[in-house]
Amino acid sequence: MLKTIWAVSERGAVGMQSQALGLGEALFAGGGFEAPKVFEVAFRWPYTWAPMTPAFASIRSLTPDTATPFEEAAKAGQWPDLLITCGRKSALLALAVKKLSGGRTVCIHVQDPKADPRYWDLLIVPEHDRARAPNVLVSKGALHRVTRTKLSTSAEALAPQLEHIPSPRLAVLVGGNNRYYTLDAEWMGGFVAQLRQATQQGLATQQGQGANWGILATISRRTGEAETNILRGGLASMPGTYLWDGSGPNPYFGFLGLADAILVTCDSVSMISEACATGKPVYVVRLPGNSKRFDAFFENLRRRGLIQWFDGHLAQWENTRLDDMDHIADEVRERLGWR
């Protein structure tokens, strides 16, 4: 019988959902599992401040609108074989499910929960996080959903809609504010001007300057309205550009598949990891702010030659892929005896 997977993340946290679901999809692709079911959860006060220990773990921590699947599972005693959570708050939910399932549900948490790793069956953390223990697997970057097949099929489906965008094409992935970095209107205005100059000065090659770049740009949920409008206005004045502003189907994977190079803001480990998983040249754009954890992540990638800092100039280079999803999925199977 195929084993069941639930992939759980905090509501609205797209990067966290991508990591939990990415691992679930990698396990599903290897066989032996049903396709993962996806759940987004939100937490009630005071559980948002509860210590990360089993004593405080309860499905009563969930808001009524997100608690139903877990309440039904508790009532029927039908929990998944594997629960994958991502995001610190959802780590507490995993401890609740482990208690209610009598330990039958295997709980894997992605990212460092800043608590004793022994509470979970496995932790998977990026190498710039500190958590280390016998049951901790270390990845080079964030887990993700990028695969060669997904990139090629998404690019093929999107290509007719974007055939007017000239090559080479630059995918521009714009994030937003977080507790470490600031992406405001002033920054966006300067970035648009820099982007205009970089893409219209031609492709730098060994033979000299070539054709101007086409732009495939996308915003995130964290991009502010004012900043989006500045980006929209700037791109509208440039030839050969396309902006996805959150309306209609998300072309994210298609953009990654069609791009000849990728430019991504520095606020998201997930977006940078996904960009590096394509094997294409990746430029990272600095934002005002600082984080020692992010700096360690950037330096690890830069040292491997996977990223360059964007300085207003664009070029192409042969890149390798940052992708240990298959390795992590195989290691999970090995550790759990599910190979």
Side-chain angles (χ1 to χ4, degrees):
M1 181 178 295
L2 297 178
K3 296 184 181 296
T4 54
I5 303 175
W6 286 11
V8 180
S9 59
E10 296 163 33
R11 183 165 56 193
V14 177
M16 294 178 186
Q17 182 187 82
S18 179
Q19 294 187 60
L21 181 55
L23 177 58
E25 289 177 340
L27 291 168
F28 169 66
F33 290 90
E34 295 181 3
K37 293 183 178 180
V38 181
F39 299 97
E40 290 185 289
V41 294
F43 296 84
R44 297 188 296 114
W45 187 88
Y47 290 96
T48 51
W49 299 98
M52 190 64 64
T53 67
F56 289 89
S58 170
I59 61 173
R60 289 179 296 179
S61 63
L62 300 177
T63 57
D65 57 324
T66 64
T68 300
F70 300 89
E71 292 171 341
E72 291 177 348
K75 184 176 181 179
Q78 295 180 346
W79 294 102
D81 296 300
L82 175 61
L83 179 74
I84 305 171
T85 54
C86 185
R88 189 172 185 276
K89 294 175 185 176
S90 64
L92 192 62
L93 175 62
L95 301 183
V97 171
K98 194 157 191 66
K99 284 196 301 185
L100 291 170
S101 70
R104 292 186 298 274
T105 293
V106 172
C107 293
I108 299 177
H109 185 69
V110 181
Q111 294 188 342
D112 185 355
K114 306 291 176 43
D116 192 334
R118 292 177 298 176
Y119 293 154
W120 297 267
D121 293 285
L122 285 177
L123 290 184
I124 303 175
V125 304
E127 61 186 356
H128 59 275
D129 275 350
R130 295 181 178 180
R132 297 292 186 272
N135 66 326
V136 174
L137 304 182
V138 179
S139 62
K140 294 183 178 68
L143 303 189
H144 57 80
R145 301 180 62 209
V146 175
T147 64
R148 286 188 174 96
T149 299
K150 188 171 293 183
L151 292 178
S152 61
T153 56
S154 299
E156 183 178 357
L158 195 59
Q161 180 183 346
L162 298 175
E163 61 183 0
H164 64 287
I165 304 297
S167 294
R169 292 166 171 167
L170 179 69
V172 178
L173 315 180
V174 178
N177 294 326
N178 60 22
R179 57 179 172 171
Y180 302 115
Y181 297 102
T182 301
L183 197 162
D184 56 17
E186 180 180 0
W187 179 90
M188 183 64 81
F191 171 66
V192 168
Q194 191 178 36
L195 186 63
R196 181 197 309 275
Q197 180 180 2
T199 56
Q200 294 183 6
Q201 69 184 4
L203 170 64
T205 67
Q206 292 181 347
Q207 290 74 36
Q209 298 301 111
N212 293 345
W213 291 78
I215 297 177
L216 304 172
T218 177
I219 62 169
S220 76
R221 293 185 185 181
R222 293 181 293 108
T223 312
E225 182 178 356
E227 290 72 30
T228 298
N229 288 335
I230 293 171
L231 179 62
R232 182 186 293 110
L235 293 178
S237 65
M238 303 181 204
T241 67
Y242 182 91
L243 171 65
W244 183 73
D245 60 2
S247 303
N250 191 336
Y252 183 74
F253 292 113
F255 280 9
L256 293 181
L258 290 170
D260 296 289
I262 302 168
L263 188 153
V264 54
T265 53
C266 73
D267 55 287
S268 172
V269 169
S270 289
M271 287 199 304
I272 296 171
S273 298
E274 289 161 351
C276 289
T278 66
K280 300 177 181 182
V282 177
Y283 288 93
V284 178
V285 189
R286 294 186 187 273
L287 292 170
N290 186 54
S291 163
K292 291 183 179 179
R293 288 181 60 255
F294 277 60
D295 285 345
F297 171 63
F298 301 145
E299 181 57 24
N300 287 340
L301 297 186
R302 192 199 61 76
R303 191 173 59 248
R304 294 186 176 107
L306 290 164
I307 66 170
Q308 292 184 17
W309 290 106
F310 180 57
D311 63 359
H313 298 86
L314 295 172
Q316 289 179 296
W317 71 90
E318 292 295 325
N319 209 352
T320 56
R321 297 179 71 228
L322 175 71
D323 190 9
D324 51 3
M325 288 300 300
D326 290 341
H327 161 71
I328 291 293
D330 286 344
E331 184 70 12
V332 167
R333 290 174 180 273
E334 185 74 33
R335 293 289 190 99
L336 302 179
W338 288 349
R339 183 175 291 278

